[in-house]
Amino acid sequence: MRRSIAAQRRRDAVWFLLPLLVALLIVAGWPLARTIWLSFTDASLAGGAHRFVGLENYAFLIEDPDWWRAVRNTLVFASVSVALETALGLGIALVLDAQIRGRGLLRAAVLVPWAIPTVVSAQLWAWMLHDQYGVINETLLLVGVIEAPRAWLADRTLAMASVIAVDVWKTTPFMVLLLLAALQTVPVDLHEAAQVDGAGAIRRFMVVTLPVIRPALLVAVIFRTLDALRIFDLIYVMVGNASATATMAVYARQHMVDFQDAGYGSAASTLLFAVIALATALFITLGRLTAPPAAR
Amino acid sequence: MSRRTRRRLGQAALYTIATVVLLYTLFPFVWAISTSLKSGSAIFDTALIPPDPRWDNYVEVFREQPFGRNILNSVIVAASTVLLSLALGLTAAHALGRVTFRGRALLLVTVLGVSMFPQVAVLSGLFELVRWLGLYNTLPALAFSYLIFTLPFTVWVLTTFVRALPVELEEAAMIDGASSWTVLTRVFLPLLAPAMVTTGLLAFIAAWNEFLFALTFTLTDDRRTVPVAIALISGASAFEVPWGRIMAASVTVTVPLIVLVLVFQRRIAVGLTAGAVKG
């Protein structure tokens, strides 16, 4: 009886999996294959005939200083913002884990930036960072931190710092959530034992807490890094295609859609895909990946 | 310093940090609400409480552009995406969580791998496909393309939950002669309802917020979804950005989302952390 059930199940499993496989093939597999193919052609987004041009697009790409700038911007953006939000997320998670009144309120408040759509966050901050009427300039002038209003989003050096700050604000809740869940699995008696032994707060964190939350910390950092490497909407809405902040995704879309150069844009996209695939492979070998990806 | 004062100092520091965190996370949205209630030149006034609160911006955002239509579009697209990904995810999770077959682990890793895809990497291929299917500038193009980021986590979370269910339940049903389909709809579906609410909610939020595909696959204002509409709100001239209206639109679409997230915060935490904690 058991054997026949298993056999029936295996037959049915094919039919249960087929819709998923077909859907993934249509929305992911085929389009990716086409993008890679188009990267070797002179295709235009408007359609029409295109011909194979070999590595021409890639040759142009590696000679374009704007492309290398986009690569650098992407790496700077991803590494700085993930580092900051990990530190901040861990700090906030530790506060939320402590026994304080109003913890429920605080926990709910921390989720708010996560709940706000990225485009909305981008607009909220673009308004707050406005060079003439922004509340941030106004406040900093009042406190005396700056003497003249700053053009946070137009100034080449400030723009990157600004978009990183907004990304940190928006994504720290994700870190907090993952780390808080991990912190709650830290055994209390272990902490107490360490305290009795005279271990200070920092030592207790290093010896007791950190080893327990390390897997969750690793997973959170990996997911955020892979997400940050493909950043598009926040930067596009706040500063458009400006080269000071344009990431690989922004650069690729600009060429593909604004300039209608599907072949060249696809080459840039393919390289971004390769970078992310490489990072993923690296992470998988570094530590086993067992967590589901989170919704953005 | 005595132990008691140290303790008090520690507590004070903790509450100070908590207050700063509260300000940091909530202020931008509070400021948006404040701005949205200021009309005309009052918008340049940096008072937190509008001296003369008005609804003008809210009225204008619906009058000057098809914002009501944009909201409806977003609801249709997000709801369709949720239904599609739950249907596909549930059937697949049943097979992946219960049946052992060769290549299952590989399949799960592949599904996870899809979630790492940068959207821009499939953009030109999808654009071609969307146009070929005659779906350019239509809502189905969006609902369908969003599966690329909702399916992976739906499948993963549901598979995790299927594995946690006791096997005896379905075996009893199968010995009684129930087909796999009956087991799925009569036994699994009710048991997985909580997990489906969680994943459905996450998929809804992800679809509601999506920007790049919506920007690329739609053309006319009446087909835009909310994020694109908000990103493209513009004034009479390029130098006159209607911030009041942008903030009114932002508040309008974000309040329901915040309420949703706060009501379901426990479930969302479970959905986001499923598996991550076990490492």
Side-chain angles (χ1 to χ4, degrees):
Chain A
M1 197 69 201
R2 262 182 186 254
R3 173 162 299 181
S4 72
I5 287 179
Q8 187 197 338
R9 266 201 186 141
R10 208 160 299 155
R11 274 196 307 275
D12 291 344
V14 176
W15 293 105
F16 280 162
L17 279 173
L18 208 59
L20 173 76
L21 294 178
V22 170
L24 284 179
L25 200 68
I26 298 177
V27 297
W30 171 257
L32 179 68
R34 278 302 285 181
T35 299
I36 295 173
W37 160 250
L38 289 174
S39 76
F40 297 110
T41 70
D42 63 352
S44 154
L45 197 72
H50 55 261
R51 61 186 179 86
F52 183 78
V53 294
L55 291 171
E56 202 174 271
N57 288 323
Y58 292 93
F60 276 122
L61 207 54
I62 57 169
E63 281 183 2
D64 183 2
D66 277 348
W67 163 253
W68 289 109
R69 197 171 175 94
V71 173
R72 215 186 68 196
N73 284 342
T74 309
L75 297 180
V76 168
F77 177 88
S79 52
V80 176
S81 88
V82 172
L84 287 177
E85 70 205 38
T86 307
L88 197 61
L90 189 58
I92 295 178
L94 284 170
V95 172
L96 282 177
D97 195 43
Q99 296 296 328
I100 56 170
R101 254 178 300 171
R103 198 164 61 155
L105 171 75
L106 203 57
R107 195 173 295 186
V110 166
L111 266 181
V112 168
W114 182 81
I116 296 178
T118 309
V119 169
V120 171
S121 318
Q123 294 281 36
L124 295 189
W125 283 91
W127 168 234
M128 291 189 3
L129 291 166
H130 196 277
D131 49 359
Q132 288 176 58
Y133 313 114
V135 68
I136 289 179
N137 267 336
E138 175 97 5
T139 311
L140 292 180
L141 281 170
L142 200 73
V143 180
V145 178
I146 52 175
E147 262 131 45
R150 295 286 170 89
W152 298 101
L153 298 177
D155 185 297
R156 289 185 75 83
T157 47
L158 288 175
M160 182 51 94
S162 301
V163 293
I164 288 176
V166 179
D167 189 64
V168 169
W169 177 79
K170 163 90 186 130
T171 51
T172 299
F174 175 77
M175 282 287 183
V176 174
L177 225 55
L178 285 193
L179 295 178
L180 190 60
L183 280 175
Q184 282 161 351
T185 64
V186 176
V188 182
D189 45 342
L190 228 68
H191 254 289
E192 280 164 358
Q195 199 158 18
V196 170
D197 288 347
I202 294 171
R203 188 159 167 73
R204 284 205 307 275
F205 175 78
M206 297 302 286
V207 177
V208 180
T209 313
L210 201 57
V212 179
I213 65 167
R214 177 164 306 174
L217 191 64
L218 201 68
V219 167
V221 168
I222 291 171
F223 277 127
R224 281 299 313 136
T225 306
L226 294 176
D227 218 26
L229 284 173
R230 55 189 173 184
I231 183 80
F232 168 76
D233 40 9
L234 185 74
I235 290 176
Y236 181 77
V237 175
M238 286 187 79
V239 277
N241 294 320
S243 70
T245 47
T247 54
M248 291 160 83
V250 172
Y251 178 94
R253 193 215 68 96
Q254 187 188 20
H255 283 272
M256 199 184 296
V257 180
D258 295 348
F259 305 156
Q260 297 275 304
D261 197 344
Y264 188 74
S266 296
S269 304
T270 304
L271 286 186
L272 171 61
F273 178 80
V275 167
I276 288 178
L278 208 68
T280 310
L282 204 72
F283 283 138
I284 288 179
T285 42
L286 279 181
R288 257 181 41 249
L289 264 183
T290 47
R296 273 154 290 164
Chain B
M1 230 186 308
S2 80
R3 208 179 184 136
R4 201 144 136 223
T5 36
R6 254 175 69 179
R7 209 191 154 84
R8 283 224 180 113
L9 270 175
Q11 284 282 314
L14 213 54
Y15 280 103
T16 313
I17 296 171
T19 313
V20 172
V21 169
L22 214 57
L23 257 175
Y24 176 61
T25 54
L26 296 182
F27 181 77
F29 193 61
V30 172
W31 187 247
I33 298 175
S34 165
T35 303
S36 72
L37 295 171
K38 297 169 183 168
S39 69
S41 59
I43 199 158
F44 307 124
D45 181 351
T46 42
L48 182 61
I49 315 265
D52 177 26
R54 283 169 185 277
W55 292 106
D56 298 8
N57 290 317
Y58 289 87
V59 176
E60 273 170 31
V61 84
F62 283 93
R63 204 181 48 205
E64 303 287 320
Q65 64 218 66
F67 198 60
R69 177 75 222 187
N70 299 143
I71 293 177
L72 185 67
N73 289 346
S74 275
V75 170
I76 294 172
V77 168
S80 318
T81 304
V82 169
L83 286 179
L84 270 173
S85 43
L86 283 183
L88 293 170
L90 183 66
T91 49
H94 174 253
L96 289 167
R98 274 298 188 252
V99 189
T100 40
F101 55 90
R102 258 210 318 213
R104 182 177 69 168
L106 181 71
L107 190 60
L108 272 167
V109 171
T110 310
V111 171
L112 188 63
V114 169
S115 72
M116 309 302 177
F117 276 33
Q119 277 180 287
V120 76
V122 293
L123 196 65
S124 53
L126 258 180
F127 187 80
E128 221 182 28
L129 198 65
V130 160
R131 218 170 27 190
W132 182 71
L133 291 169
L135 293 177
Y136 182 63
N137 201 27
T138 68
L139 300 181
L142 301 184
F144 198 70
S145 58
Y146 288 180
L147 291 178
I148 193 175
F149 53 81
T150 59
L151 272 181
F153 75 83
T154 309
V155 170
W156 265 76
V157 174
L158 290 181
T159 303
T160 314
F161 276 88
V162 166
R163 283 199 180 141
L165 295 177
V167 190
E168 289 75 19
L169 274 173
E170 16 156 351
E171 276 186 348
M174 287 186 107
I175 288 169
D176 288 345
S179 68
S180 292
W181 180 252
T182 315
V183 171
L184 182 72
T185 50
R186 294 287 169 79
V187 182
F188 274 134
L189 195 61
L191 290 171
L192 286 175
M196 291 178 71
V197 171
T198 304
T199 46
L201 201 64
L202 292 178
F204 189 91
I205 293 173
W208 181 267
N209 296 350
E210 201 283 333
F211 179 66
L212 180 57
F213 287 170
L215 179 72
T216 314
F217 301 153
T218 61
L219 182 68
T220 50
D221 279 346
D222 63 317
R223 299 292 171 86
R224 298 290 195 199
T225 54
V226 164
V228 184
I230 289 181
L232 298 183
I233 288 179
S234 55
S237 76
F239 303 100
E240 223 180 285
V241 181
W243 288 106
R245 253 162 56 200
I246 295 176
M247 292 304 125
S250 299
V251 172
T252 309
V253 299
T254 306
V255 166
L257 220 53
I258 291 183
V259 171
L260 211 63
V261 167
L262 294 187
V263 169
F264 289 100
Q265 58 168 305
R266 227 152 259 267
R267 280 187 191 283
I268 288 175
V270 170
L272 286 179
T273 54
V277 181
K278 278 173 252 154

